[in-house]
Every structure is written in structure tokens, then in C-alpha cells.
Amino acid sequence: MVKFGSGIAVKHENFKTCDQAGFCKRNRAYADAAGVTGWEAPFRIAADTLNWQNGQLQGTILKTIKEGETVRLPVTISFLESGSARVVIDEEKRQKGEIELRHNSIARKERYNEAESWAIVGGLDISKTAKENREEKTSTITYGSENQFEAVVTFAPFAIDFKRDGATQIKLNDRGLLNLEHWRPKIEKVEPEKKEGEETPPTEVEVPTGEDESTWWDEPFGGQTDSKPKGPESVSLDITFPGYEHVFGIPEHAGPLSLKETRGGTGNHEDPYRLYNADVFEYIMDSPMTLYGSIPFMQAHKKDSTVGVFWLNAAETWIDIIKAKEAHNPLSLGIGSKTDTKTHWFSESGLIDVFIFLGPTPKDVTKAYGELTGYSQLPPEFSIAYHQCRWNYNTDEDVKDVDRKMSKHQIPYDVIWLDIEYTDDKQYFTWDPLTFPDPIGMLKQLDESERKLVAIIDPHIKNKEGYHVVDELKKKDLAVHNKDGNIYEGWCWPGSSHWIDCFNPAAIKWWIGLFKYDAFKGSMPNLFIWNDMNEPSVFNGPETTMPKDNLHYQNWEHRDVHNLNGMTFHNATYQAMLERKKGEIRRPFVLTRSFYAGSQRLGAMWTGDNQANWEHLAAGFPMIINQGVAGYPFAGADVGGFFGNPEKDLLTRWYQAGAFYPFFRGHAHIDTRRREPYLAGEPYTGIITQALRLRYALLPAWYTAFHEASVNGTPILRPHYFVYPADEAGFAIDDQFFVGSTGLLAKPVVKEGAESVDIYLPDNEVYYDYFDYKTYSGRGSHSVAAPLEKIPLLMQGGHIIPRKDRPRRSSGLMKWDPYTLVVALDKQGNAEGELYVDDGETFDYESGAYIKRAFGFKDNVLESTNRGTKGKMTSSYIKAMKAVGVERIVIVGAPKSWSTKAVVKIGKTEARLEYHPESGGKAAWAVIKSPKISIAEDWKIEF
Amino acid sequence: MKRVEALVLLGTLSTSILAAEPSRPRGVGPDFAKFYKSADTFTCISHPEISLSPSQINDEYCDCPDGSDEPGTAACTYLSSLSPPQPLAGSENTSLALPGYYCKNKGHIPGYIPHMYVNDGVCDYELCCDGSDEWAGVGGTKCEDKCKEIGKEWRRLDDIRTKSLRNALKRKDALLKDAGEKRAGLETSISNLESEIRVLEHREQDLKKVYEDVERRERGRVVGGSTTGKVSKVTVLAGLAKARVEELRSTLLGVVEKRNKLKEKVAELEGILAKFKEERNPNFNDEGVKRAVQAWEDYAANRQGGEDDASERDVEAVSKEDSESEGINWKEWETEEEESDVEAIYKFEEYLPEGVRTWVHQKIIDMRIMLVENGILADNANSGSESKAVSDARASYQSVSDDLNAKRVTLGESQTDLTKDYGPNDIFRALKNVCISKDSGEYEYELCWMENTKQKSKKGGGSTGMGNFVRFDKAVYDEEVGADGKGVGKGERVTMSYENGQHCWNGPNRQTLVVLACAEKDEIWRVVEQEKCMYRMDVGTPAVCERGGSGGNGGEKGKGKDEL
């Protein structure tokens, strides 16, 4: 029997190492050569070409290729109103199309310059206040809202230092690794004829000039050859963060939040972090290997300072990281030593296009990045509740049965999912007539308790005569083409397939039409979509994806756009789901596996095909936290593990962890045993149900955190460095986190057999156990009991957490339930909190149909104040929500003086107060019963 | 779907009080009315030390640790062992005093609905046809009273169910009768068999004796006749045998060579398959690949560990050329045989007078028999031609003996069958060899009552065994039953386990749990794959119907319809 244990590792030979990727090898060799003394960087700005205009510095970089011969590279350095800066370097010859392509290729000649149109949605306004000061060898630009930023451009060799308040934060080309492989014709070398019996001469020792030509042309891998009609065209740049020891971001990789060094050595990686979206089967832990999605955005962090870079390039990209320690005082033995993190970025093709964010806080950096690429979607509320998935629910009756059983066991869930087997012969937009004869009946039953269905729809379209979707795809010529310009054919789930080319606006338009209720028979408003395999996954393609010389819309090579591909498909589906019936505009929910910078605008992602073991459970949080750091917080891992059968304790712990995933879905491979929560048996089912109900009770807090992410990019799971940027002990912590701004500090158990966990407290504030109010205090590590039934979860003093404690069948049925407010007082006896509420499904919030409250407890007064901005739909919404009240207010850490208090004053009325004194290490608490106040209105309670 | 099990709760309730207590607080059922009578105070039902003002009943705030102050709201629903724990006022005890929110359902059957369904915006008509669960009208929810129509429809269906039960019970009686007859028939045939066997045993004894006598005599008869042909016969035979052995030997060598080549091919193929298994990507879920890998695994598991060296040596030895030292020494056989002692005795006999000759002859025969019986002399009775007398005697004996054995086997089978568990009251004896089938989506399922379960895919392929009948059991179920009455319902049900069906990819051998519930006719209602390759088949049959309803499905139960 095959068992998917941790013993089975990824099929390494399916994916390239740096050594097997020509440009990666070349650029590493280039870096090694540049490290040798006496090496001269060949790129300089021709000072006479420089032109400063309206916040932009434009000019030409000259690359010396041999004495007297240079290549012209136009450069634009833009300083943005937001305080971000952007450096773009192109190649004149390719830009003007003055090159020849090999193999009679019809591909575009330019370097790909449209990544921006997919990834960037705003924030490009040029600064009106930036000023340039040119000198003989440098140009200095001051910019930023208070001119606190400075960019010093050195002409020869070309380099830029970015400073904040006079101190250098980011250096471009400090190590001289800037490289842009200019176009050159292939010179066919005449092989000297070999005579019989003559030994093959030993291959020449590699000349350390980055000029190893062996990988310039026709690159073979895994039995397939990339024709590379444009020859070598990679771009590369080194980016140094002086004094920064930690860098985060550049998902998606399975490994710790704080990125490791990549050039060997104990505990370090051997290969660079790779970004080349791929369907990696059974991925391994702690690896720089590429996964399903990529966001080339990195944050560097040191005490009290965060900066970031965004490498806008959609081609295959690798990032080398080294950390150089330099002790300022050799006698100090590392104390006060300074670490520089030096990164080296290289992409196979495209432009050098890099954005610089100078912070100084993590919030500033994520906000600035979000201004460019967009903030996380404010998802429909059901989608942040629990999702019950499996490959596959076999029939519509099966779905209905699971639905009934969840209700019967009083386990809340919002969404049940269908993997590929629901289709008729893997043809999307159809239902298997034998197993799903009545999809509408199924959807209607789900709708009775406001539950939803998510069905999978992938980008591969079955190549089968008579299948209307493929017929139209072909007829309208909307599929990806092969290098010869014919429709590309590859293999995926349905067998022979074609791939929709969502770079093509006409393809998007057509795709939108396929989702209309009358086109997609058997769909209803409570049906939503899952986009899988959009890397794209091609079973018989190189590295399980498309050949790089495939051609997309307007003949851009796949090589140039590969990492964008998943997002374009996700985008098309998002557009389609906006308005499936004329006039009925709803927030889409679309899950994607592949993603790029900007995908956060479109819906959730998950970490792909993980395994049912403790290592994968532990790997989930660092990955999900890192997604948040990279601006894509709506993330989750498959609860229970996709491959293999989890033991019941693992499944239980995974649900407890999953209750803290922004995207919370249980999923399982088709060969695994059934594992719906009610099947586990006691005590497991009960504990799992508690975890699920915990998530549901805290949905108001989660939704508020999602709202915050949607307006300023703040992560939902916040790592320590993000919340306490000055606390160095917390910078690398990635197994505990804060939930939004709630002050909830969670460290779900991810180790087998654990009876307790050590939680690190970053400050001297009081922390209360969420479940029994036991107190913990004092900066440092504290042991918190964690038997199987317990999730280590603390409330930091000083926060007010909104909850809904009444269990219901789904989140939709909690809409009218009253709130419980938990006020966790800090040492000064104060607390504050926030709540965001809207209808959870439409865009009416854009017209003001929402509630935004700030709660504050100070000087024995608890107050709710409005933080919303009035819009045209505000009054009607508030009116409708007036009936939703607060049923209970729990004050944790209540002062002793309240022991004699029986009532509190609310305006002219009173409410009962019940006081419970401190006992056995558990904080005193008080409860205000039925205060009869509305969630939608201002009120004030005096204690 | 109409959920009836909650309504069943009321089976024990007396209903005459329904109309008599108009002042009960919302959601309180008649059984609990007594706790809510006082106009001055209310004490929590299981915490009488906590006393509240009556105005605190149904005030949307949960005061009682047992939830009894909120019979008509959802305010106490968070008091549940399924909810995250939190410090609670009063007691840690989270067991609730009330079974749910009481829906009066005038015109139909009153029932309890879980408190978490109260005022959630959904009209849960299946449990609460009067719509009173949504009394607050949250978000504009309006649930009109539908008890009249639902009750009417229910009564109509209940009539059908009652009739159906009546028919089912009739059918059950018929089945019981049939089973009884089959059992009686079996018993009769057992007793018949037993007496036949007794008779046959005697006859067998007799015939055996006859046969032994005849054979004994025959064995003593010394074979006379010419010796002239004998010598040449052996020689000819030896010659033929030698040629034949040579021919067989060369064929064997050819076969061995072919086998060795095939062995190499098998090893090569095994290598390919082993690699294939290791390198395949299970994520691609290709059924063909899965089957192939499974078959390979089974094959690999059953493969013999090493080569059978002994048999290999045998083949080697056999295939060697015969010589004086090895194999058969043909030369020994190609020469003529010397005279035997017996032949000398025959010759000697010729010189004796008649009387003496007879005596000597007799003595020789006796002696020979003695020698044969003591294993000293070879018995030649079977080696050559046998006399008709012996073969006739043996045939008669053999035939009776065979007959007897066959009857004994039949008797054994019949006795086993008689003691075999055919379910309650032996009723499934009537359904032996009966099969029913159901068309369900992708598959057609078949249940052969005491035999096996099968599925046949409509997408092609043969039928797959889902298990062979092993035993009856009983288990308690609590499930919804549709309006059509087709469902397992609530209570103890007879189940049949079918095990050891066809092996499953990455799973166990297929098995089926057949859960039986009362129905008018034999019918497979539903088949679900509960776990990978572990099926559950819900089957209706009159065989498990019982008077008064228990044992059947929800459809036949009293469920309080007469109480209204």
C-alpha cells in the first residue's frame, strides 16, 4: 500500500536547480567573478544623457562589452508621490526591434514591459516635490513627504544609494552585479573536425567573465528543448540592506519567515530562492525551491526600521541572499556587531524594474506596496468562515448528506467544495450527468442554511470534439499558442487540452460570458469558483508547465509572462463572478493556487498540496504569515493535510491551527479516508467543533482584520517584528502571531504530543488566557498548558474584542445575532478596539453601507464611537442594523472596587453588573448583562 | 426533506393539555410548563438556588447555567460543550435543561427544534411548521404558519405509510411462512437423508464384504499362462520407453531454455514496474495507472522469495543422459528375464497327483495371501487385468459408497444451513438466492441477500464484488427519513455485513454494511461509500418490519400522530 509519508520527497529531478537553469548559473558565475578584486563593473551612466523632469531622472546606461564597444540601456528613475522610488532599465536595441530572432520566431522582440499593467493598479503618481541636485559624478534626489528620503545616483559604475534621514538603507549595484544580457547574434562556431582515435580535447576552463556561452541558445531540460529565439537576455541586480539582519517575503517557499542565506554553509541553502510558478508535487520543507506562486517583494528589517523592494519582473527569477557580519569592534565578540543582508536578484528576461520602499515601519512598507499592487480584497464574509472540501464529494446526494450531517452534529460550516470529479469527463461548465444529475437541487438545499458551494474550474480546456467550450476557444482563437503560432496542446486532467490565454482581453470577455447563470447550467448565486492548476500545470510540459517559447497574446513569449499567468486566469474568473446576472453585482470569491503580486485583489490562495504530517502542519504558519508580509494575507493551508491520512490528534491540532488561518479549509486527496469533522469520534469531534465555533465566534474580529487589510495592507496574521519592530528577540518568530489589531496572541500546537507551549511575550503588559483568564505577565517566554483540547491563545491587555457567541449553522445565519464584547484591561485599566461590519456580500460598503466603530475603555467609561464616513447608503444601512445589539460585555481584569457594584449606567438606564473576583491565578472579571445597546450607534457606559 | 425524528420526541407526550395552557412562556413544552407557573419568581430548573424575576424569562439574556430562563430564544445556545469554553456565572455544568424550543405546530405534530435554529432567519418548517421559530422576524424574516398544509400532507403520507406497513407486515408473514416452509422442508430432507444414509450404510457394509471376499479369492489366484510373450513385452516396452524418455528429455531442455529467457524478461518487466511504481505521481489520479500499480503490488507481495533450488536440481538431474550410474540403466531391461520361482512351482506341480496337487495349490494360495497381506509379497491383483467378478463387486460397493458420501455431504450442508443465522425468526431463509438491484448514478448496485453485494459501473468494466455475506448484527441509528419513508430512521436496526470483496486501490478489500429498515417491498434505497471502498447500503424490506413499528423505519412509527 502506498503511504504518503514524510519519507516521500518531491521529485527533485522534475525541477531545475540553479545549475540547470542557464541564466541562473551564468549570473551566479558573474557574481563570483565580480567578487574578485580588480573587477570593474561594466555599467555607467552617460552623464550627458541625464535629464531631470517632473520627479523623473532619465538617461542612458552604457554597458561596455569590449573596449570601445557599448550597449545603450535607457534608464528611468521615478520618485513617486507615495514616497516610493522606481528604477527601470531597458535595452535600446530590443526596444526598437533592431534585433533578429532565431528559428524564424514570430515572438515579440522587446523586453516584456507589460508586467506593470497586470500587477500595478495605482500609486504611480510622480512626486511634485522631489528635487534633483546634480554634481559631476553623482546626482542626488531628495523626496518623500517631508523630504526625509534621498537617492544618491553614482554614474560610474552605476549605483544608487537610498537614504532615510541621512542614513543609507538600500544600495543598488553596490556589489557591481548589475547585469543585462544584451542582444547578440548567434555565431555558429565551426567545430574542428575530429580525427579518428583523437581524444576529445578537454573543455576550456570557464572564463570568469559570465561569458559561458553553453546556455545562451537552445536549452534542453528533461527531454525537452527551449528554442530561446531571443538568445540570452537575463537581467540581474544586487540589492544590499546595510545593517539589516532579517529579510522576509518573496513567497512562495516552504521555510521559515526569516529568509536564509543561499550560498551554502551550515544551515544555509545551496540554491537561491526561486520564483517560477510550478505544480510541485509533494513539496519538501525548508527549501528555497519554487512553489505555485510568486511575489517578488521583500522586506528588510532591523531594530526600528523596515524597508522593502519590489522586483517587478514576471519571468523566472532567482534570489541569492548572503548576510555579512562585520563586528565594529573586534573585541566585542559580536556584541553590537552589524549584519548587512546582501541580495542578488536575477530574472531570465524582461526589464529591470524595481521599486524601493524606505519605511520606516513595516506598516509603511506594506501600505506603500499595497498602493501599487492593490490591497487585499474585502472578501464576501462567508469565505472567511469554514470551508469543507475533499477530492471529491462523489455525488450531489453525497454533498447533501455531508451538509445534513454537519447540521445534525451542530458543526458550523459555510462552504462545501467540489473538486474535478463533478464535471462530465473533466469538461468545465458541465456536470457529470450520472453523479450530479441535480446540481440546482443540491445548491438549493445548501442555500436553505445560507451555505455555499465552490466548484473547481481550471484553465485547461479539454480538447474534445463537440465540447462547446473548446469549440469556441478554437474558433475565436483565444488559446495560448506554441512557438510556431499554432494552438498549443498539452496534457492535464482531461487528457489532451488547450489553455485559455487570459492575457487576451477578448479571452477574458469570452470567459465572463461562460459564467452567466444561463450559460453555466446548474449554477446559482451561491456557487463560487476555485481556480487550480493555473501555474499553468501541464503534465507533459517542462517542469510540469508550459514550454517557455509558447506564445501569448500579442506574441509575448511565455518565458516573459510565466509568473503572471496564474493571476491573469484568476483575474478573468474574478471578473466573471462580479456580475453573473445583469444588475446583480456581488463580491466574488475565487480561490487560486498560482499567484503574483496583485493577486491579493482577486481572492484567496492556499499553499497547495501539503501532506498529513506534523512537519507540514508546522510549516503552515510561517508560509501564511509570509504571505501576509508580502501583501497577500488571505491565505491558508489544507487542514488535515492533502496527501495521506492524518491521525486523529494531528487532525484535531490541525483544526485548531486552521481556526487561525485567514483562509480556513479542510481538504483531502481522493485516496484518503473520509475525515469530515463528525467522523473523528469523541473526544476529537467535540474538540474540533470547539475550534470551529471559536472561529465563528471571532468572525467579527476576523472580518474587521480583513477590512483593515483591504484598506491599508496590514497583514491579518501579524508576526512579532510587525507589531514590535524594536524587539529584536521577536524578529525571527514565525510560530506565534497576533490576529489583526485584536491583541489576540496565538500559538496553536504543531508538535505531536505537546502538553504545553512556550509563548513569547514581547512586552510587560498583562496577557489573559482567552478561555479561563489566567494571567501571564513579563517580557520573555511563558509556558502555557496545551492539552489536546486547548489552543494556546492569549488576550493582550488593552484590547476590546468583538464576538458573536451564539452558534449557528453558518455565518450567514449569525447576521442578526447580538455581539459580546470582551474588554481585556491593560495594566492602566484601559482598553480599545475596533469593529467593522457590512452586509458581507455586496459592494454597498463603497457607498457607505457599513458600520465602523471604535470602542474605548478609559477612566471607568466604556464608549462606542463612530469611525465611519457617511455615504449615500449609510443611513439606510444603519437603520436596518439598529436592531443588532450587544448582549453581554465581559471585562477581564476588572478592578476590585467593582466587587460591590451591581449596576452600571447607560445614559438614563442601567444594566446589571456581576463581579467575579480573581482566583487561582485567574484574573477578576465582570459581566454586564443585557446592556440593551445597539452595535450601530454611539453609546457610553459608566462604571 | 421532511425531518421527522425531532417530532418523534413527542411520542411520549400527552397532548390533551396542549390547548389548556395558553400562558406558557414561548418555547416551553407542556412537560416543562410546571417550572414556569409562578408569577413572582422563576428558579433555574436544574439550579433552583438561582432565582430570577419572571421578566428575565425570554429576555434574550442567558441567566441560568442550564439555559432554562431562555426557552424561547437562542440566548443560551453558547452553553454547550461544543462551544469554546469560557468562565460562566454560577456553574461549570453546561448540560441544558430543555430539549429545545417547543413548536406547538397546531394542526400537525408539536415538536422541539434546537435553540440554535431560533431567530436565525430561516423558516425551519420541517421541524416547526407553525413558523414560530422565527418569532422575532430578524432581518424581515416572516414564516407563515404552514401546519395546516404540512399536517395534511403528512397525514396523507402517513395513511400511505400505515397502509404500506400493513402490506409490509402481510408480506413479512408470507416471508415467515415461506421461511418456515423452507426450514421444514430442510428438516424433512435432513431426516430423509439420515434414514437413507442409515440404509445405505448397511448396504455399503454388505457390499464391502462381498467385494473383499471376491477380491481376496482373486488375489490368491496365481496367474498362469504362457511366459513366452512376457520377455519380449518388457523388452519392447523398455525400447519404447527409452525413446520416449529421450524425446521428453530433449523437450524438457527446450522448455528450460525458453523458461530461462522468460525469466529474464520477467525480471526486466518487474524492474520496469518497480520503477514505475516509485516514480509515478499519485496526484494525477489516473485510474488505469492506479490499477496497474495495485496489481503490481499484489503481484510483488505474492511473488515467491527465491528460486526453488531443489526443483531446479531435479530438472538438472532429470535432463542428464541416462547411464549405468545415473537415471535408468536401460541395459538391464533390454535383456530377457530369468524364470521366476513361481514358474518353477507350476512346473513342479505338474508331477504331483491330483489330490496332492489341489492341497499344494491351496497351501500355496493361502501362503501367498498371507504373504500379500503381510506385505511380504507384491499384490499383483491390480497390476494386470482384473476379473469381472472383482470389478463388478467393487463397482457395486463403490457406487453405494459414493452415494453415501454424497448424501453425507448433503446432510452436512443441510445441517449447517439449518443452524446458519438467517436473521430474526429465520426470515431471510425465504430470501435466499434472491437478488435486488438499484440504479444509482454512475453505478448499478446489486444485493443478493445471503450471498454478496456488487457494483457495476455504467462507464464500462465488469462488476465489482463489494463483499460476501458474513453475519447479521444490530446497531442503533438516528437519521432523518424523507417523506417517502425511505430511510433508516431512528432506533435499533438489523444490519448485514458483507466482507472481503474485491481489493481496492490504496485501501482495504471492499466491504458493505447493509442496514435494513422496514418497507413494503425489498428495495435498495441508497448506497454511499462512507470510507474508501467501505460501502453502506440502506435497504428496505418487509423482513424486518414489526408490529407496533419498532425495528422498522421512521415511517411506521406511532410518532404521536394520534395525540393531536
Side-chain angles (χ1 to χ4, degrees), chain B residues 312-338:
Chain B
E312 189 69 12
R313 273 196 302 276
D314 287 350
V315 170
E316 215 171 285
V318 167
S319 56
K320 273 193 189 136
E321 200 76 36
D322 288 326
S323 67
E324 278 178 42
S325 56
E326 267 182 287
I328 303 166
N329 185 358
W330 293 106
K331 282 187 187 125
E332 272 176 28
W333 298 92
E334 280 156 2
T335 54
E336 290 191 4
E337 236 179 61
E338 280 164 32

Side-chain angles (χ1 to χ4, degrees), chain B residues 222-332:
Chain B
V222 177
V223 184
S226 159
T227 58
T228 48
K230 201 176 170 188
V231 172
S232 59
K233 243 189 190 170
V234 170
T235 313
V236 169
L237 184 64
L240 286 172
K242 192 184 174 188
R244 184 71 180 148
V245 165
E246 285 306 321
E247 190 186 335
L248 286 172
R249 180 173 287 133
S250 78
T251 312
L252 176 64
L253 284 170
V255 169
V256 166
E257 197 180 324
K258 266 191 200 155
R259 184 207 59 176
N260 289 343
K261 275 193 186 144
L262 285 172
K263 259 188 183 170
E264 280 167 28
K265 283 209 168 150
V266 167
E268 191 186 337
L269 282 171
E270 284 178 351
I272 291 169
L273 283 169
K275 203 157 184 272
F276 166 67
K277 181 202 154 187
E278 201 171 298
E279 293 183 348
R280 79 186 193 89
N281 179 346
N283 206 8
F284 294 170
N285 198 44
D286 182 319
E287 282 300 330
V289 172
K290 279 185 176 182
R291 273 194 294 275
V293 172
Q294 179 63 51
W296 157 247
E297 281 168 355
D298 292 344
Y299 166 84
N302 296 329
R303 197 170 33 154
Q304 272 163 2
E307 286 297 328
D308 189 342
D309 290 342
S311 76
E312 189 69 12
R313 273 196 302 276
D314 287 350
V315 170
E316 215 171 285
V318 167
S319 56
K320 273 193 189 136
E321 200 76 36
D322 288 326
S323 67
E324 278 178 42
S325 56
E326 267 182 287
I328 303 166
N329 185 358
W330 293 106
K331 282 187 187 125
E332 272 176 28

Side-chain angles (χ1 to χ4, degrees), chain A residues 553-763:
Chain A
Y553 177 61
Q554 295 184 334
N555 288 335
W556 289 110
E557 266 200 300
H558 184 69
R559 147 186 7 266
D560 296 323
V561 302
H562 174 85
N563 284 346
L564 278 170
N565 186 82
M567 181 164 80
T568 62
F569 182 62
H570 192 199
N571 171 62
T573 309
Y574 176 93
Q575 302 300 333
M577 294 297 286
L578 274 172
E579 194 175 359
R580 286 182 282 173
K581 191 176 117 193
K582 203 159 172 51
E584 191 187 278
I585 300 172
R586 291 287 179 272
R587 283 181 240 169
F589 170 74
V590 186
L591 176 75
T592 183
R593 190 169 71 181
S594 185
F595 55 86
Y596 189 72
S599 290
Q600 68 269 16
R601 306 186 301 261
L602 307 170
M605 61 72 69
W606 93 108
T607 61
D609 299 344
N610 60 359
Q611 294 176 45
N613 61 44
W614 293 91
E615 292 73 27
H616 271 266
L617 169 58
F621 282 119
M623 290 177 80
I624 292 164
I625 290 169
N626 201 27
Q627 284 291 131
V629 167
Y632 198 170
F634 197 6
D638 282 345
V639 170
F642 180 64
F643 291 115
N645 293 308
E647 296 296 328
K648 287 179 177 177
D649 57 339
L650 174 59
L651 183 67
T652 305
R653 288 301 198 189
W654 215 318
Y655 269 97
Q656 292 178 339
F660 291 89
Y661 293 168
F663 173 61
F664 182 15
R665 181 182 76 152
H667 190 30
H669 186 273
I670 195 164
D671 285 334
T672 62
R673 288 196 294 275
R674 282 290 179 110
R675 57 168 94 136
E676 286 69 44
Y678 50 81
L679 291 174
E682 292 310 331
Y684 308 101
T685 293
I687 299 171
I688 291 169
T689 307
Q690 283 187 349
L692 284 159
R693 287 192 178 187
L694 174 68
R695 171 60 167 239
Y696 274 75
L698 286 170
L699 279 177
W702 281 98
Y703 195 58
T704 302
F706 270 89
H707 167 73
E708 199 181 339
S710 77
V711 294
N712 62 20
T714 315
I716 291 165
L717 299 192
R718 297 182 188 165
H720 272 262
Y721 91 87
F722 202 95
V723 186
Y724 290 91
D727 179 21
E728 287 171 293
F731 291 171
I733 293 179
D734 57 11
D735 57 356
Q736 62 176 64
F737 49 85
F738 291 91
V739 177
S741 303
T742 60
L744 284 169
L745 176 60
K747 186 174 186 178
V749 175
V750 295
K751 283 195 183 71
E752 186 171 13
E755 286 291 322
S756 69
V757 298
D758 291 329
I759 295 190
Y760 173 75
L761 302 184
D763 58 11

Side-chain angles (χ1 to χ4, degrees), chain A residues 79-347:
Chain A
F79 298 89
L80 309 178
E81 195 60 46
S82 62
S84 308
R86 181 185 194 183
V87 181
V88 181
I89 306 174
D90 203 341
E91 179 183 353
E92 197 173 270
K93 262 197 160 172
R94 292 190 199 252
Q95 206 177 40
K96 292 184 173 167
E98 295 166 351
I99 65 165
E100 279 165 35
L101 303 185
R102 298 165 62 240
H103 309 300
N104 301 317
S105 170
I106 53 171
R108 287 281 284 266
K109 292 178 173 175
E110 304 99 305
R111 287 180 172 273
Y112 183 62
N113 53 19
E114 293 179 3
E116 160 179 340
S117 66
W118 291 102
I120 308 276
V121 290
L124 288 179
D125 296 342
I126 302 289
S127 167
K128 293 182 188 78
T129 53
K131 284 189 181 64
E132 194 215 11
N133 177 25
R134 186 129 13 127
E135 288 171 46
E136 191 192 340
K137 291 177 174 170
T138 60
S139 164
T140 302
I141 296 97
T142 49
Y143 66 107
S145 58
E146 283 148 32
N147 286 330
Q148 75 274 42
F149 302 147
E150 203 174 87
V152 181
V153 181
T154 307
F155 300 156
F158 169 72
I160 311 179
D161 284 9
F162 288 94
K163 300 180 178 180
R164 189 184 66 227
D165 302 325
T168 301
Q169 310 294 335
I170 295 177
K171 294 169 146 201
L172 302 189
N173 206 28
D174 178 51
R175 294 152 70 200
L177 308 187
L178 169 63
N179 186 19
L180 187 144
E181 292 178 322
H182 59 280
W183 182 81
R184 66 210 79 185
K186 186 178 182 191
I187 297 155
E188 304 292 342
K189 281 182 193 152
V190 186
E191 294 275 321
E193 261 182 69
K194 256 193 288 177
K195 284 181 188 136
E196 284 288 318
E198 209 177 34
E199 293 262 310
T200 315
T203 32
E204 252 179 88
V205 181
E206 206 173 285
V207 189
T209 54
E211 297 288 285
D212 169 19
E213 294 183 27
S214 62
T215 53
W216 281 6
W217 322 102
D218 311 277
E219 224 175 308
F221 181 77
Q224 307 192 45
T225 299
D226 176 3
S227 66
K228 294 183 73 175
K230 297 181 284 181
E233 52 174 330
S234 78
V235 291
S236 138
L237 180 66
D238 64 87
I239 301 173
T240 296
F241 303 99
Y244 289 83
E245 190 172 352
H246 293 277
V247 284
F248 312 114
I250 58 166
E252 178 180 24
H253 302 99
L257 174 67
S258 180
L259 300 171
K260 291 186 173 186
E261 292 187 59
T262 59
R263 298 226 57 176
T266 315
N268 298 335
H269 297 310
E270 297 290 332
D271 260 10
Y273 283 94
R274 187 183 188 205
L275 297 176
Y276 187 61
N277 300 349
D279 182 359
V280 179
F281 166 62
E282 289 183 345
Y283 58 81
I284 46 171
M285 302 289 88
D286 196 8
S287 165
M289 189 168 180
T290 194
L291 288 176
Y292 311 92
S294 52
I295 300 177
F297 169 55
M298 179 185 272
Q299 293 195 20
H301 185 75
K302 65 178 183 183
K303 191 171 160 59
D304 283 326
S305 176
T306 313
V307 295
V309 295
F310 171 40
W311 176 265
L312 178 53
N313 185 303
E316 179 181 350
T317 298
W318 301 73
I319 301 125
D320 258 326
I321 297 171
I322 51 174
K323 297 181 183 184
K325 268 204 169 68
E326 35 173 294
H328 281 250
N329 174 359
L331 298 176
S332 69
L333 293 171
I335 298 163
S337 74
K338 200 174 103 157
T339 300
D340 296 343
T341 296
K342 301 180 175 188
T343 64
H344 180 202
W345 302 62
F346 31 100
S347 298

Side-chain angles (χ1 to χ4, degrees), chain A residues 1-4 11 13 279 281-282 391 394 397 401 404-405 407-410 421 432 434-435 445 448-450 493 533 537 539 544 593 609 642-643 669-675 679 682 685-686 689-691 693-694 697 770-773 803 805-809 812-814 816-818 887-888 890 912 914 916 925 927-930 932, chain B residues 1 3 5 52 56 59-63 73-90 114-122 124 126 133-134 138-141 277-285 287 290 293-294 297 440-443 458-459 478-480 503 505-508 526 528-532 534 536:
Chain A
M1 206 182 292
V2 174
K3 205 172 172 214
F4 302 110
K11 304 267 185 292
E13 67 277 12
D279 182 359
F281 166 62
E282 289 183 345
W391 178 23
N394 300 322
E397 282 302 326
D401 187 53
R404 279 190 291 264
K405 290 208 168 105
S407 290
K408 184 181 155 71
H409 288 85
Q410 309 203 329
E421 314 294 334
D432 186 316
L434 295 176
T435 53
Q445 179 183 315
E448 279 171 18
S449 42
E450 294 224 7
W493 300 125
M533 314 297 278
S537 177
F539 292 167
T544 327
R593 190 169 71 181
D609 299 344
F642 180 64
F643 291 115
H669 186 273
I670 195 164
D671 285 334
T672 62
R673 288 196 294 275
R674 282 290 179 110
R675 57 168 94 136
L679 291 174
E682 292 310 331
T685 293
T689 307
Q690 283 187 349
R693 287 192 178 187
L694 174 68
Y770 180 88
F771 303 101
D772 64 11
Y773 310 154
R803 294 199 313 219
D805 279 0
R806 299 183 180 187
R808 299 290 193 186
R809 283 167 281 186
L813 300 184
M814 295 166 70
W816 307 103
D817 280 341
E887 64 175 327
R888 178 167 51 238
V890 180
R912 291 171 290 152
E914 191 176 273
H916 299 269
W925 58 285
V927 57
I928 297 167
K929 302 179 170 186
S930 207
K932 305 223 163 19
Chain B
M1 280 274 194
R3 275 177 281 221
E5 87 276 6
L52 308 171
Q56 284 174 272
D59 69 345
E60 287 280 359
Y61 185 82
C62 187
D63 289 293
T73 79
C76 289
T77 47
Y78 74 96
L79 300 176
S80 161
S81 59
L82 297 176
S83 281
Q86 58 176 298
L88 295 169
H115 277 115
M116 65 181 265
Y117 289 19
V118 175
N119 290 331
D120 63 352
V122 178
D124 289 291
E126 300 117 27
D133 58 322
E134 294 302 318
V138 294
T141 308
K277 181 202 154 187
E278 201 171 298
E279 293 183 348
R280 79 186 193 89
N281 179 346
N283 206 8
F284 294 170
N285 198 44
E287 282 300 330
K290 279 185 176 182
V293 172
Q294 179 63 51
E297 281 168 355
S440 172
E442 195 183 341
Y443 297 98
K458 288 180 196 159
K459 291 179 177 170
D478 178 5
E479 291 175 7
E480 292 158 12
H503 189 73
W505 161 259
N506 210 4
R526 205 171 70 113
V528 285
E529 191 175 357
Q530 287 192 307
E531 277 289 354
K532 195 163 180 55
M534 295 170 77
R536 181 177 141 184

